[in-house]
Amino acid sequence: MSVIYILLTISIIVAIIFFVAFIVAVRNGQFDDSYTPSVRMLFEDELVKEKPKSTIKTNKTN
């Protein structure tokens, strides 16, 4: 029965640590931009345009 109390205490301590880490991340602005990641995959192909490969012609005169 004492093992349950130990595990419960440890799990509450770990939960508090993760909660504090979450609060610190929110205050530092980690989750500020919530719109751009959702539409980034829609516009990624339009932003990156590849140039067509051109063939180089050489004129050799003999």
Side-chain angles (χ1 to χ4, degrees), residues 18-28:
F18 279 115
F19 182 69
V20 169
F22 174 74
I23 296 298
V24 169
V26 168
R27 288 191 180 190
N28 287 334

Side-chain angles (χ1 to χ4, degrees), residues 4-61:
I4 293 175
Y5 295 129
I6 293 171
L7 290 177
L8 187 62
T9 305
I10 291 172
S11 66
I12 289 174
I13 291 171
V14 169
I16 290 171
I17 290 171
F18 279 115
F19 182 69
V20 169
F22 174 74
I23 296 298
V24 169
V26 168
R27 288 191 180 190
N28 287 334
Q30 182 74 27
F31 303 110
D32 281 349
D33 190 13
S34 62
Y35 178 70
T36 303
S38 64
V39 296
R40 185 181 299 149
M41 62 183 251
L42 299 174
F43 298 113
E44 187 173 353
D45 292 333
E46 293 178 11
L47 293 176
V48 178
K49 293 182 180 179
E50 294 181 11
K51 295 179 181 178
K53 294 181 181 179
S54 61
T55 57
I56 300 173
K57 296 180 181 178
T58 58
N59 294 330
K60 291 183 181 180
T61 56

